[in-house]
Amino acid sequence: MHHTIAQYAQALANAVGSTSSRDIKTIARNTVRLLRAKKHLSKLPAILRETRRRYFYKKNITTVDIISVVPLSPAIRNEIRRMAGASAHINEIVRPEAMAGIKIIVNDTYRIDATVKGIIRNLFAKYEKHS
């Protein structure tokens, strides 16, 4: 039987949500063993992202992923925290390949892509539409 990432994520969220924190290590170990046995270990990063998304949605927590070339300054980080709210989960990701700029994703939906790479991609997409 083929299981989707969403099915694995739901099962993992249910298991973690109904257990004590000391049992989470056992659940994680068993999840990796199961995925390895089914030759689905490559799905683990996507399963964990989806499990995280479901957890935050259930807890009504806003997630803000900020992707930039360099770490954010304290002033920018504080301003984003102020705008997102005190209960928001802010995940700062440094990706030098973005070249320059910043990308902000709120609750897994792109809000701002002001990276040089994103701007160039959008320019080429507009050019291809009009050609």
Side-chain angles (χ1 to χ4, degrees), residues 52-67:
R52 172 184 174 251
R53 187 192 67 75
R54 288 170 183 257
Y55 173 80
F56 285 134
Y57 179 80
K58 183 178 179 181
K59 298 288 186 180
N60 199 26
I61 298 172
T62 299
T63 60
V64 181
D65 294 325
I66 304 162
I67 302 165

Side-chain angles (χ1 to χ4, degrees), residues 13-73:
N14 290 345
V16 169
S18 63
T19 190
S20 67
S21 58
R22 71 185 172 122
D23 293 332
I24 290 177
K25 189 174 182 177
T26 302
I27 292 168
R29 188 178 315 114
N30 290 340
T31 299
V32 170
R33 285 181 184 153
L34 172 73
L35 293 172
R36 186 180 304 130
K38 292 187 172 274
K39 302 198 183 317
H40 291 167
L41 197 54
S42 64
K43 293 181 177 183
L44 185 59
I47 292 167
L48 294 176
R49 276 192 306 275
E50 178 63 15
T51 303
R52 172 184 174 251
R53 187 192 67 75
R54 288 170 183 257
Y55 173 80
F56 285 134
Y57 179 80
K58 183 178 179 181
K59 298 288 186 180
N60 199 26
I61 298 172
T62 299
T63 60
V64 181
D65 294 325
I66 304 162
I67 302 165
S68 63
V69 179
V70 295
L72 299 174
S73 70

